[in-house]
Amino acid sequence: MRRIGMVSLIGAGPGDPDLLTVKALKRIQNAEVVVYDRLVSQDIMDLVPPKTALYPVGKKPRSHPIPQEEINQLLVDLAKEGKRVARLKGGDPFIFGRGSEEAAELVKAGVSYEVIPGITAAQGCASSLNLPLTHRGLATGLRYVTGHCQKDVPLDLDWASLADPNTTLVIYMGLAAIEEISAKLIEHGMPADMPAAAISKGTTSEERKVFGTLTTIGEQAKNANLPAPCLFMIGDVVGLKQALQVPAAFSGAKGDWADKRPHLEVING
Ligand SMILES: C[S@@+](CC[C@H](N)C(=O)[O-])C[C@H]1O[C@@H](n2cnc3c(N)ncnc32)[C@H](O)[C@@H]1O
């Protein structure tokens, strides 16, 4: 009897392999085929067993080497061949990840699928900076917004509602348009000195970040030559940077710093 394949739409998180879910890791290790995006880090690809067939279908910013329709068809074809397919996407597959477009095509083709969530870039980057996305008294809400726009087409966002100073704004895909975004937010009433951060390759060994204000962050990101992927966090929560910094004495090498925290010494003592 022919085996029936299926597709797991898997969120691979922002880069650090330790941020994968246990379920994602299990699927990666049991897949016969892995179809993966450019944003899936090499450290995560290193977890794929050597016998697994690999299909890179990554897109670079502003270029689409493999059209989405072909990716959809590839997933359908592989599943119809009876394969267990792990479709690996950066972050979460259903947050600016086109996972739902692929899911819709799988359903249309009569292919079974599941969704395994991943840590989205906003959560990964914020925690890497020891910053919260909400904080009582500073941010009562949170918005994930795309800053991607077609070439020569102005960004069409609801600026008046985005300029709410009580909401943390996280801008995905905003590297090219951050100066335009900042200017629009200020024009619509967001304070020009609102704290802002830019984080490039968050949670990876190549992570870089700059801190500034809504007015300065675009130029700072440009001057620092921050490479993609880059995320912008705008809001009073970014101003907690100093308050939430781990004291230098306790921020030693990754993996053993927790043992040096004073409250742990008390518990252990
Ligand atoms: C097409 S979206 C994919 C988002 C992904 N599905 C998620 O949930 O994080 C790509 C954008 O995510 C952000 N991004 C993804 N990984 C990142 C990382 N490690 N550091 C900073 N930004 C990241 C960047 O804004 C990038 O332009």
PDB file of all heavy atoms in Angstrom, residues 193-230:
ATOM      1  N   ASP A 193      11.391  61.354  20.977  1.00  0.00           N
ATOM      2  CA  ASP A 193      12.454  60.763  21.816  1.00  0.00           C
ATOM      3  C   ASP A 193      12.063  59.392  22.363  1.00  0.00           C
ATOM      4  O   ASP A 193      12.663  58.898  23.322  1.00  0.00           O
ATOM      5  CB  ASP A 193      12.829  61.713  22.958  1.00  0.00           C
ATOM      6  CG  ASP A 193      11.648  61.983  23.878  1.00  0.00           C
ATOM      7  OD1 ASP A 193      10.510  61.546  23.558  1.00  0.00           O
ATOM      8  OD2 ASP A 193      11.847  62.629  24.923  1.00  0.00           O
ATOM      9  N   MET A 194      11.054  58.777  21.751  1.00  0.00           N
ATOM     10  CA  MET A 194      10.653  57.425  22.176  1.00  0.00           C
ATOM     11  C   MET A 194      11.838  56.477  22.020  1.00  0.00           C
ATOM     12  O   MET A 194      12.474  56.446  20.960  1.00  0.00           O
ATOM     13  CB  MET A 194       9.480  56.951  21.300  1.00  0.00           C
ATOM     14  CG  MET A 194       8.960  55.588  21.655  1.00  0.00           C
ATOM     15  SD  MET A 194       8.244  55.583  23.307  1.00  0.00           S
ATOM     16  CE  MET A 194       6.556  56.052  22.990  1.00  0.00           C
ATOM     17  N   PRO A 195      12.179  55.693  23.057  1.00  0.00           N
ATOM     18  CA  PRO A 195      13.312  54.772  22.924  1.00  0.00           C
ATOM     19  C   PRO A 195      13.079  53.750  21.802  1.00  0.00           C
ATOM     20  O   PRO A 195      11.951  53.297  21.572  1.00  0.00           O
ATOM     21  CB  PRO A 195      13.362  54.074  24.284  1.00  0.00           C
ATOM     22  CG  PRO A 195      12.657  54.986  25.223  1.00  0.00           C
ATOM     23  CD  PRO A 195      11.604  55.675  24.408  1.00  0.00           C
ATOM     24  N   ALA A 196      14.159  53.418  21.108  1.00  0.00           N
ATOM     25  CA  ALA A 196      14.069  52.465  19.986  1.00  0.00           C
ATOM     26  C   ALA A 196      15.355  51.656  19.913  1.00  0.00           C
ATOM     27  O   ALA A 196      16.425  52.115  20.334  1.00  0.00           O
ATOM     28  CB  ALA A 196      13.852  53.228  18.675  1.00  0.00           C
ATOM     29  N   ALA A 197      15.231  50.429  19.405  1.00  0.00           N
ATOM     30  CA  ALA A 197      16.414  49.574  19.251  1.00  0.00           C
ATOM     31  C   ALA A 197      16.347  48.885  17.894  1.00  0.00           C
ATOM     32  O   ALA A 197      15.260  48.639  17.364  1.00  0.00           O
ATOM     33  CB  ALA A 197      16.458  48.529  20.362  1.00  0.00           C
ATOM     34  N   ALA A 198      17.511  48.602  17.337  1.00  0.00           N
ATOM     35  CA  ALA A 198      17.597  47.792  16.122  1.00  0.00           C
ATOM     36  C   ALA A 198      18.458  46.585  16.457  1.00  0.00           C
ATOM     37  O   ALA A 198      19.514  46.727  17.067  1.00  0.00           O
ATOM     38  CB  ALA A 198      18.237  48.601  14.996  1.00  0.00           C
ATOM     39  N   ILE A 199      17.982  45.405  16.085  1.00  0.00           N
ATOM     40  CA  ILE A 199      18.719  44.170  16.394  1.00  0.00           C
ATOM     41  C   ILE A 199      18.901  43.384  15.108  1.00  0.00           C
ATOM     42  O   ILE A 199      17.936  43.064  14.421  1.00  0.00           O
ATOM     43  CB  ILE A 199      17.971  43.276  17.412  1.00  0.00           C
ATOM     44  CG1 ILE A 199      17.525  44.086  18.599  1.00  0.00           C
ATOM     45  CG2 ILE A 199      18.857  42.115  17.862  1.00  0.00           C
ATOM     46  CD1 ILE A 199      16.058  44.354  18.622  1.00  0.00           C
ATOM     47  N   SER A 200      20.153  43.099  14.798  1.00  0.00           N
ATOM     48  CA  SER A 200      20.463  42.345  13.582  1.00  0.00           C
ATOM     49  C   SER A 200      20.930  40.948  13.973  1.00  0.00           C
ATOM     50  O   SER A 200      21.699  40.789  14.918  1.00  0.00           O
ATOM     51  CB  SER A 200      21.556  43.116  12.838  1.00  0.00           C
ATOM     52  OG  SER A 200      22.264  42.286  11.983  1.00  0.00           O
ATOM     53  N   LYS A 201      20.436  39.952  13.243  1.00  0.00           N
ATOM     54  CA  LYS A 201      20.799  38.538  13.488  1.00  0.00           C
ATOM     55  C   LYS A 201      20.652  38.160  14.957  1.00  0.00           C
ATOM     56  O   LYS A 201      21.532  37.534  15.561  1.00  0.00           O
ATOM     57  CB  LYS A 201      22.218  38.261  12.995  1.00  0.00           C
ATOM     58  CG  LYS A 201      22.385  38.518  11.493  1.00  0.00           C
ATOM     59  CD  LYS A 201      23.691  37.989  10.986  1.00  0.00           C
ATOM     60  CE  LYS A 201      23.795  38.174   9.480  1.00  0.00           C
ATOM     61  NZ  LYS A 201      24.978  37.596   8.892  1.00  0.00           N
ATOM     62  N   GLY A 202      19.533  38.603  15.527  1.00  0.00           N
ATOM     63  CA  GLY A 202      19.277  38.380  16.952  1.00  0.00           C
ATOM     64  C   GLY A 202      19.336  36.912  17.331  1.00  0.00           C
ATOM     65  O   GLY A 202      18.927  36.040  16.560  1.00  0.00           O
ATOM     66  N   THR A 203      19.850  36.647  18.511  1.00  0.00           N
ATOM     67  CA  THR A 203      19.998  35.320  19.150  1.00  0.00           C
ATOM     68  C   THR A 203      21.099  34.466  18.525  1.00  0.00           C
ATOM     69  O   THR A 203      21.316  33.347  18.950  1.00  0.00           O
ATOM     70  CB  THR A 203      18.683  34.455  19.208  1.00  0.00           C
ATOM     71  OG1 THR A 203      18.493  33.805  17.956  1.00  0.00           O
ATOM     72  CG2 THR A 203      17.485  35.262  19.599  1.00  0.00           C
ATOM     73  N   THR A 204      21.785  34.978  17.516  1.00  0.00           N
ATOM     74  CA  THR A 204      22.873  34.204  16.908  1.00  0.00           C
ATOM     75  C   THR A 204      24.219  34.746  17.418  1.00  0.00           C
ATOM     76  O   THR A 204      24.272  35.804  18.052  1.00  0.00           O
ATOM     77  CB  THR A 204      22.863  34.307  15.364  1.00  0.00           C
ATOM     78  OG1 THR A 204      23.349  35.600  14.997  1.00  0.00           O
ATOM     79  CG2 THR A 204      21.469  34.103  14.786  1.00  0.00           C
ATOM     80  N   SER A 205      25.279  34.056  17.075  1.00  0.00           N
ATOM     81  CA  SER A 205      26.612  34.509  17.513  1.00  0.00           C
ATOM     82  C   SER A 205      27.013  35.800  16.792  1.00  0.00           C
ATOM     83  O   SER A 205      27.960  36.464  17.186  1.00  0.00           O
ATOM     84  CB  SER A 205      27.646  33.424  17.243  1.00  0.00           C
ATOM     85  OG  SER A 205      27.592  33.092  15.874  1.00  0.00           O
ATOM     86  N   GLU A 206      26.264  36.155  15.734  1.00  0.00           N
ATOM     87  CA  GLU A 206      26.569  37.394  15.000  1.00  0.00           C
ATOM     88  C   GLU A 206      25.636  38.539  15.374  1.00  0.00           C
ATOM     89  O   GLU A 206      25.558  39.545  14.670  1.00  0.00           O
ATOM     90  CB  GLU A 206      26.464  37.146  13.496  1.00  0.00           C
ATOM     91  CG  GLU A 206      27.474  36.153  12.965  1.00  0.00           C
ATOM     92  CD  GLU A 206      27.171  35.803  11.522  1.00  0.00           C
ATOM     93  OE1 GLU A 206      27.522  36.593  10.637  1.00  0.00           O
ATOM     94  OE2 GLU A 206      26.559  34.741  11.297  1.00  0.00           O
ATOM     95  N   GLU A 207      24.926  38.392  16.473  1.00  0.00           N
ATOM     96  CA  GLU A 207      23.959  39.429  16.872  1.00  0.00           C
ATOM     97  C   GLU A 207      24.638  40.790  17.056  1.00  0.00           C
ATOM     98  O   GLU A 207      25.698  40.875  17.662  1.00  0.00           O
ATOM     99  CB  GLU A 207      23.295  39.029  18.193  1.00  0.00           C
ATOM    100  CG  GLU A 207      22.370  40.097  18.741  1.00  0.00           C
ATOM    101  CD  GLU A 207      21.634  39.634  19.995  1.00  0.00           C
ATOM    102  OE1 GLU A 207      20.789  38.735  19.898  1.00  0.00           O
ATOM    103  OE2 GLU A 207      21.930  40.172  21.074  1.00  0.00           O
ATOM    104  N   ARG A 208      23.981  41.823  16.514  1.00  0.00           N
ATOM    105  CA  ARG A 208      24.444  43.199  16.748  1.00  0.00           C
ATOM    106  C   ARG A 208      23.225  44.055  17.042  1.00  0.00           C
ATOM    107  O   ARG A 208      22.145  43.778  16.542  1.00  0.00           O
ATOM    108  CB  ARG A 208      25.174  43.734  15.504  1.00  0.00           C
ATOM    109  CG  ARG A 208      26.534  43.081  15.313  1.00  0.00           C
ATOM    110  CD  ARG A 208      27.162  43.524  14.017  1.00  0.00           C
ATOM    111  NE  ARG A 208      27.367  44.961  14.000  1.00  0.00           N
ATOM    112  CZ  ARG A 208      27.488  45.674  12.882  1.00  0.00           C
ATOM    113  NH1 ARG A 208      27.418  45.100  11.708  1.00  0.00           N
ATOM    114  NH2 ARG A 208      27.680  46.980  12.941  1.00  0.00           N
ATOM    115  N   LYS A 209      23.430  45.087  17.848  1.00  0.00           N
ATOM    116  CA  LYS A 209      22.273  45.925  18.187  1.00  0.00           C
ATOM    117  C   LYS A 209      22.703  47.361  18.392  1.00  0.00           C
ATOM    118  O   LYS A 209      23.861  47.617  18.757  1.00  0.00           O
ATOM    119  CB  LYS A 209      21.591  45.419  19.454  1.00  0.00           C
ATOM    120  CG  LYS A 209      22.476  45.392  20.683  1.00  0.00           C
ATOM    121  CD  LYS A 209      22.523  44.006  21.272  1.00  0.00           C
ATOM    122  CE  LYS A 209      23.529  43.908  22.390  1.00  0.00           C
ATOM    123  NZ  LYS A 209      23.793  42.553  22.807  1.00  0.00           N
ATOM    124  N   VAL A 210      21.779  48.278  18.125  1.00  0.00           N
ATOM    125  CA  VAL A 210      22.018  49.675  18.462  1.00  0.00           C
ATOM    126  C   VAL A 210      20.776  50.211  19.181  1.00  0.00           C
ATOM    127  O   VAL A 210      19.664  49.779  18.905  1.00  0.00           O
ATOM    128  CB  VAL A 210      22.345  50.566  17.230  1.00  0.00           C
ATOM    129  CG1 VAL A 210      23.655  50.184  16.597  1.00  0.00           C
ATOM    130  CG2 VAL A 210      21.242  50.534  16.211  1.00  0.00           C
ATOM    131  N   PHE A 211      21.014  51.124  20.097  1.00  0.00           N
ATOM    132  CA  PHE A 211      19.925  51.735  20.854  1.00  0.00           C
ATOM    133  C   PHE A 211      19.895  53.230  20.568  1.00  0.00           C
ATOM    134  O   PHE A 211      20.951  53.855  20.441  1.00  0.00           O
ATOM    135  CB  PHE A 211      20.124  51.523  22.358  1.00  0.00           C
ATOM    136  CG  PHE A 211      19.956  50.092  22.781  1.00  0.00           C
ATOM    137  CD1 PHE A 211      21.047  49.233  22.822  1.00  0.00           C
ATOM    138  CD2 PHE A 211      18.704  49.602  23.126  1.00  0.00           C
ATOM    139  CE1 PHE A 211      20.893  47.909  23.205  1.00  0.00           C
ATOM    140  CE2 PHE A 211      18.540  48.277  23.504  1.00  0.00           C
ATOM    141  CZ  PHE A 211      19.639  47.430  23.543  1.00  0.00           C
ATOM    142  N   GLY A 212      18.716  53.782  20.460  1.00  0.00           N
ATOM    143  CA  GLY A 212      18.610  55.212  20.221  1.00  0.00           C
ATOM    144  C   GLY A 212      17.194  55.655  20.491  1.00  0.00           C
ATOM    145  O   GLY A 212      16.523  55.135  21.393  1.00  0.00           O
ATOM    146  N   THR A 213      16.747  56.609  19.699  1.00  0.00           N
ATOM    147  CA  THR A 213      15.362  57.086  19.820  1.00  0.00           C
ATOM    148  C   THR A 213      14.704  56.951  18.449  1.00  0.00           C
ATOM    149  O   THR A 213      15.368  56.658  17.446  1.00  0.00           O
ATOM    150  CB  THR A 213      15.322  58.566  20.226  1.00  0.00           C
ATOM    151  OG1 THR A 213      15.893  59.328  19.144  1.00  0.00           O
ATOM    152  CG2 THR A 213      16.091  58.838  21.503  1.00  0.00           C
ATOM    153  N   LEU A 214      13.423  57.220  18.439  1.00  0.00           N
ATOM    154  CA  LEU A 214      12.682  57.150  17.183  1.00  0.00           C
ATOM    155  C   LEU A 214      13.340  58.059  16.130  1.00  0.00           C
ATOM    156  O   LEU A 214      13.423  57.710  14.952  1.00  0.00           O
ATOM    157  CB  LEU A 214      11.234  57.577  17.453  1.00  0.00           C
ATOM    158  CG  LEU A 214      10.216  57.368  16.354  1.00  0.00           C
ATOM    159  CD1 LEU A 214      10.212  55.946  15.856  1.00  0.00           C
ATOM    160  CD2 LEU A 214       8.822  57.752  16.853  1.00  0.00           C
ATOM    161  N   THR A 215      13.825  59.205  16.577  1.00  0.00           N
ATOM    162  CA  THR A 215      14.450  60.149  15.642  1.00  0.00           C
ATOM    163  C   THR A 215      15.765  59.608  15.078  1.00  0.00           C
ATOM    164  O   THR A 215      16.062  59.793  13.906  1.00  0.00           O
ATOM    165  CB  THR A 215      14.767  61.491  16.351  1.00  0.00           C
ATOM    166  OG1 THR A 215      13.593  61.919  17.004  1.00  0.00           O
ATOM    167  CG2 THR A 215      15.240  62.545  15.380  1.00  0.00           C
ATOM    168  N   THR A 216      16.534  58.932  15.931  1.00  0.00           N
ATOM    169  CA  THR A 216      17.907  58.599  15.528  1.00  0.00           C
ATOM    170  C   THR A 216      18.093  57.187  14.992  1.00  0.00           C
ATOM    171  O   THR A 216      19.092  56.905  14.331  1.00  0.00           O
ATOM    172  CB  THR A 216      18.867  58.743  16.737  1.00  0.00           C
ATOM    173  OG1 THR A 216      18.476  57.802  17.757  1.00  0.00           O
ATOM    174  CG2 THR A 216      18.846  60.154  17.302  1.00  0.00           C
ATOM    175  N   ILE A 217      17.160  56.281  15.276  1.00  0.00           N
ATOM    176  CA  ILE A 217      17.449  54.853  15.077  1.00  0.00           C
ATOM    177  C   ILE A 217      17.728  54.478  13.607  1.00  0.00           C
ATOM    178  O   ILE A 217      18.581  53.624  13.327  1.00  0.00           O
ATOM    179  CB  ILE A 217      16.325  53.961  15.691  1.00  0.00           C
ATOM    180  CG1 ILE A 217      16.833  52.541  15.887  1.00  0.00           C
ATOM    181  CG2 ILE A 217      15.057  53.977  14.866  1.00  0.00           C
ATOM    182  CD1 ILE A 217      17.883  52.380  16.937  1.00  0.00           C
ATOM    183  N   GLY A 218      17.032  55.156  12.686  1.00  0.00           N
ATOM    184  CA  GLY A 218      17.246  54.837  11.265  1.00  0.00           C
ATOM    185  C   GLY A 218      18.675  55.137  10.852  1.00  0.00           C
ATOM    186  O   GLY A 218      19.360  54.302  10.243  1.00  0.00           O
ATOM    187  N   GLU A 219      19.127  56.329  11.210  1.00  0.00           N
ATOM    188  CA  GLU A 219      20.485  56.719  10.834  1.00  0.00           C
ATOM    189  C   GLU A 219      21.524  55.852  11.549  1.00  0.00           C
ATOM    190  O   GLU A 219      22.534  55.449  10.965  1.00  0.00           O
ATOM    191  CB  GLU A 219      20.706  58.190  11.172  1.00  0.00           C
ATOM    192  CG  GLU A 219      21.863  58.745  10.373  1.00  0.00           C
ATOM    193  CD  GLU A 219      22.014  60.247  10.559  1.00  0.00           C
ATOM    194  OE1 GLU A 219      21.095  60.872  11.112  1.00  0.00           O
ATOM    195  OE2 GLU A 219      23.066  60.755  10.147  1.00  0.00           O
ATOM    196  N   GLN A 220      21.244  55.541  12.817  1.00  0.00           N
ATOM    197  CA  GLN A 220      22.182  54.708  13.579  1.00  0.00           C
ATOM    198  C   GLN A 220      22.323  53.321  12.937  1.00  0.00           C
ATOM    199  O   GLN A 220      23.424  52.789  12.830  1.00  0.00           O
ATOM    200  CB  GLN A 220      21.694  54.545  15.017  1.00  0.00           C
ATOM    201  CG  GLN A 220      21.893  55.765  15.890  1.00  0.00           C
ATOM    202  CD  GLN A 220      21.301  55.517  17.265  1.00  0.00           C
ATOM    203  OE1 GLN A 220      20.088  55.549  17.456  1.00  0.00           O
ATOM    204  NE2 GLN A 220      22.156  55.244  18.232  1.00  0.00           N
ATOM    205  N   ALA A 221      21.179  52.753  12.530  1.00  0.00           N
ATOM    206  CA  ALA A 221      21.217  51.412  11.909  1.00  0.00           C
ATOM    207  C   ALA A 221      22.007  51.472  10.607  1.00  0.00           C
ATOM    208  O   ALA A 221      22.789  50.579  10.289  1.00  0.00           O
ATOM    209  CB  ALA A 221      19.801  50.917  11.664  1.00  0.00           C
ATOM    210  N   LYS A 222      21.806  52.579   9.865  1.00  0.00           N
ATOM    211  CA  LYS A 222      22.512  52.743   8.591  1.00  0.00           C
ATOM    212  C   LYS A 222      24.021  52.899   8.846  1.00  0.00           C
ATOM    213  O   LYS A 222      24.841  52.217   8.236  1.00  0.00           O
ATOM    214  CB  LYS A 222      21.970  53.974   7.860  1.00  0.00           C
ATOM    215  CG  LYS A 222      22.179  53.887   6.347  1.00  0.00           C
ATOM    216  CD  LYS A 222      21.953  55.206   5.664  1.00  0.00           C
ATOM    217  CE  LYS A 222      20.481  55.522   5.465  1.00  0.00           C
ATOM    218  NZ  LYS A 222      20.285  56.912   4.985  1.00  0.00           N
ATOM    219  N   ASN A 223      24.377  53.773   9.793  1.00  0.00           N
ATOM    220  CA  ASN A 223      25.795  54.010  10.094  1.00  0.00           C
ATOM    221  C   ASN A 223      26.494  52.746  10.598  1.00  0.00           C
ATOM    222  O   ASN A 223      27.678  52.533  10.338  1.00  0.00           O
ATOM    223  CB  ASN A 223      25.958  55.122  11.137  1.00  0.00           C
ATOM    224  CG  ASN A 223      25.570  56.469  10.563  1.00  0.00           C
ATOM    225  OD1 ASN A 223      25.475  56.621   9.340  1.00  0.00           O
ATOM    226  ND2 ASN A 223      25.306  57.443  11.422  1.00  0.00           N
ATOM    227  N   ALA A 224      25.737  51.937  11.322  1.00  0.00           N
ATOM    228  CA  ALA A 224      26.332  50.711  11.872  1.00  0.00           C
ATOM    229  C   ALA A 224      26.370  49.611  10.817  1.00  0.00           C
ATOM    230  O   ALA A 224      26.890  48.533  11.073  1.00  0.00           O
ATOM    231  CB  ALA A 224      25.535  50.245  13.082  1.00  0.00           C
ATOM    232  N   ASN A 225      25.779  49.880   9.656  1.00  0.00           N
ATOM    233  CA  ASN A 225      25.758  48.884   8.578  1.00  0.00           C
ATOM    234  C   ASN A 225      25.160  47.559   9.033  1.00  0.00           C
ATOM    235  O   ASN A 225      25.700  46.490   8.721  1.00  0.00           O
ATOM    236  CB  ASN A 225      27.194  48.602   8.123  1.00  0.00           C
ATOM    237  CG  ASN A 225      27.356  49.054   6.700  1.00  0.00           C
ATOM    238  OD1 ASN A 225      26.402  48.966   5.907  1.00  0.00           O
ATOM    239  ND2 ASN A 225      28.546  49.545   6.376  1.00  0.00           N
ATOM    240  N   LEU A 226      24.075  47.639   9.764  1.00  0.00           N
ATOM    241  CA  LEU A 226      23.479  46.406  10.297  1.00  0.00           C
ATOM    242  C   LEU A 226      22.963  45.547   9.148  1.00  0.00           C
ATOM    243  O   LEU A 226      22.184  46.018   8.322  1.00  0.00           O
ATOM    244  CB  LEU A 226      22.318  46.733  11.244  1.00  0.00           C
ATOM    245  CG  LEU A 226      22.665  47.387  12.569  1.00  0.00           C
ATOM    246  CD1 LEU A 226      21.424  47.486  13.451  1.00  0.00           C
ATOM    247  CD2 LEU A 226      23.761  46.625  13.301  1.00  0.00           C
ATOM    248  N   PRO A 227      23.372  44.298   9.093  1.00  0.00           N
ATOM    249  CA  PRO A 227      22.870  43.451   8.009  1.00  0.00           C
ATOM    250  C   PRO A 227      21.505  42.836   8.333  1.00  0.00           C
ATOM    251  O   PRO A 227      21.127  42.745   9.502  1.00  0.00           O
ATOM    252  CB  PRO A 227      23.934  42.350   7.901  1.00  0.00           C
ATOM    253  CG  PRO A 227      24.561  42.265   9.242  1.00  0.00           C
ATOM    254  CD  PRO A 227      24.404  43.617   9.907  1.00  0.00           C
ATOM    255  N   ALA A 228      20.794  42.399   7.316  1.00  0.00           N
ATOM    256  CA  ALA A 228      19.538  41.669   7.503  1.00  0.00           C
ATOM    257  C   ALA A 228      19.885  40.258   8.009  1.00  0.00           C
ATOM    258  O   ALA A 228      20.993  39.781   7.741  1.00  0.00           O
ATOM    259  CB  ALA A 228      18.794  41.580   6.173  1.00  0.00           C
ATOM    260  N   PRO A 229      18.969  39.625   8.738  1.00  0.00           N
ATOM    261  CA  PRO A 229      17.679  40.146   9.142  1.00  0.00           C
ATOM    262  C   PRO A 229      17.823  41.098  10.324  1.00  0.00           C
ATOM    263  O   PRO A 229      18.630  40.887  11.207  1.00  0.00           O
ATOM    264  CB  PRO A 229      16.911  38.883   9.546  1.00  0.00           C
ATOM    265  CG  PRO A 229      17.949  37.938  10.036  1.00  0.00           C
ATOM    266  CD  PRO A 229      19.167  38.225   9.210  1.00  0.00           C
ATOM    267  N   CYS A 230      17.005  42.136  10.275  1.00  0.00           N
ATOM    268  CA  CYS A 230      17.076  43.166  11.305  1.00  0.00           C
ATOM    269  C   CYS A 230      15.654  43.534  11.747  1.00  0.00           C
ATOM    270  O   CYS A 230      14.736  43.606  10.918  1.00  0.00           O
ATOM    271  CB  CYS A 230      17.796  44.383  10.732  1.00  0.00           C
ATOM    272  SG  CYS A 230      18.106  45.656  11.952  1.00  0.00           S
TER     273      CYS A 230
END
